[in-house]
């Protein structure tokens, strides 16, 4: 089965740039999506097809994907961005949706 | 407003059956896949599978095949997730989500508020 690996936690100071990574075999060949889940809330899509932002998502959220790593970048991180972030792909060879284990972003 | 609204939290006993619901509104419900995602307490997201409301075509994650059943009533724009015999390990938050597709790839652009299922004797 296909696996996605995320760091359990990332810390950043307000106003700085946060990079959250997601690793998988030849991940750059697969479209990756990212979800934000604030405490006690439902997940929200923040990036799809590697680097596209849904309407309503701030421009400070961006994504990239190359090689074996996809990256969610939050520029000028705000305290409101503190949440869990999950990457997700469609693993064609197994015919299934795969989520990464999640990364807790702390802004302090 | 485009939204998915799920049924409320439930408390059940081991061995009970259960059916929870997810009602779509504000979009053409039959034409988008509905996925189900489990989140156990303090844990990450797990894909259970999805169903296409237009024809009830269903795909199950191997981890959940045979453990749950998806169904849909497109006349009332509602998808269902069902258990025939609950276990304590089914205690979790369950989300439904609309899946958009581009070629082979898909993502979940709209999520329900979640249904908390607690199974305890």
């Amino acid at each position: 089965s296909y696996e996605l690996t995320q760091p359990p936690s990332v810390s950043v100071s307000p106003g700085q740039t946060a990079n959250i990574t997601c690793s998988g075999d030849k991940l750059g060949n697969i479209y990756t999506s990212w979800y934000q889940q604030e405490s006690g809330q439902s997940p929200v899509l923040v990036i799809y097809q590697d680097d596209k932002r849904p309407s309503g998502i701030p421009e400070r959220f961006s994504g990239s994907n190359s090689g074996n790593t996809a990256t969610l970048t939050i520029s000028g991180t705000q305290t409101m961005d503190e949440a869990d972030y999950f990457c997700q792909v469609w693993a064609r060879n197994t015919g299934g949706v795969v989520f990464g284990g999640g990364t807790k972003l702390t802004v302090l | 407003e485009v939204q998915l609204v799920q049924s409320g939290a439930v408390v059940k006993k081991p061995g009970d059956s259960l059916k929870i619901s997810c009602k779509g509104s504000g979009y053409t419900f039959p034409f988008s896949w509905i996925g189900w995602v489990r989140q156990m307490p303090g844990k990450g997201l797990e894909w259970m599978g999805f169903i296409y409301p237009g024809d009830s075509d269903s795909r199950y994650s191997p981890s959940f095949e045979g453990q749950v059943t998806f169904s849909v009533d497109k006349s009332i724009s509602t998808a269902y997730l069902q258990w025939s015999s609950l276990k304590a390990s089914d205690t979790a938050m369950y989300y439904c989500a609309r899946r958009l597709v581009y070629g082979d790839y898909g993502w979940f652009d709209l999520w329900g508020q979640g249904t908390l299922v607690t199974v305890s004797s």
Side-chain angles (χ1 to χ4, degrees):
Chain A
S1 62
Y2 193 81
E3 293 187 1
L4 295 174
T5 302
Q6 298 182 235
S9 63
V10 167
S11 295
V12 65
S13 300
Q16 298 303 303
T17 296
N19 290 299
I20 300 172
T21 59
C22 174
S23 299
D25 186 47
K26 299 182 179 67
L27 183 58
N29 295 340
I30 312 171
Y31 279 134
T32 300
S33 302
W34 290 91
Y35 303 87
Q36 176 196 63
Q37 186 179 33
E38 296 178 21
S39 180
Q41 302 299 310
S42 301
V44 172
L45 178 71
V46 294
I47 293 289
Y48 67 101
Q49 285 187 273
D50 292 342
D51 57 8
K52 294 180 173 53
R53 271 181 297 106
S55 70
I57 300 302
E59 289 185 11
R60 64 179 181 274
F61 288 87
S62 63
S64 62
N65 189 8
S66 179
N68 294 318
T69 303
T71 303
L72 173 68
T73 299
I74 310 173
S75 304
T77 306
Q78 301 182 10
T79 54
M80 69 172 66
D81 300 328
E82 195 163 272
D84 293 324
Y85 291 85
F86 297 90
C87 56
Q88 175 254 311
V89 300
W90 168 258
R92 184 192 297 178
N93 59 345
T94 60
V97 171
V98 179
F99 286 100
T103 298
K104 182 175 185 59
L105 177 67
T106 301
V107 183
L108 44 65
Chain B
E1 182 185 0
V2 179
Q3 59 181 352
L4 295 172
V5 178
Q6 298 186 232
S7 47
V10 294
V11 179
K12 291 288 190 178
K13 290 182 166 31
D16 285 352
S17 63
L18 174 64
K19 192 174 191 178
I20 63 174
S21 66
C22 168
K23 182 174 176 61
S25 61
Y27 73 98
T28 308
F29 183 78
F31 297 155
S32 295
W33 292 83
I34 293 291
W36 290 96
V37 175
R38 182 176 79 174
Q39 188 168 37
M40 300 179 78
K43 301 297 185 183
L45 305 174
E46 299 175 87
W47 175 66
M48 302 175 71
F50 31 60
I51 185 166
Y52 189 72
D55 61 6
S56 296
D57 183 18
S58 298
R59 313 284 170 83
Y60 292 88
S61 162
S63 300
F64 291 92
E65 180 97 50
Q67 309 303 308
V68 297
T69 303
F70 307 142
S71 61
V72 66
D73 184 343
K74 59 184 178 182
S75 70
I76 55 170
S77 300
T78 301
Y80 302 96
L81 170 61
Q82 183 174 0
W83 294 261
S84 59
S85 181
L86 286 160
K87 302 184 283 287
S89 58
D90 292 318
T91 294
M93 182 71 81
Y94 293 87
Y95 294 101
C96 64
R98 183 177 70 175
R99 180 177 185 243
L100 298 186
V101 177
Y102 177 81
D104 281 347
Y105 301 98
W107 56 92
F108 299 108
D109 77 316
L110 179 67
W111 292 69
Q113 84 276 21
T115 296
L116 181 62
V117 174
T118 303
V119 184
S120 173
S121 54

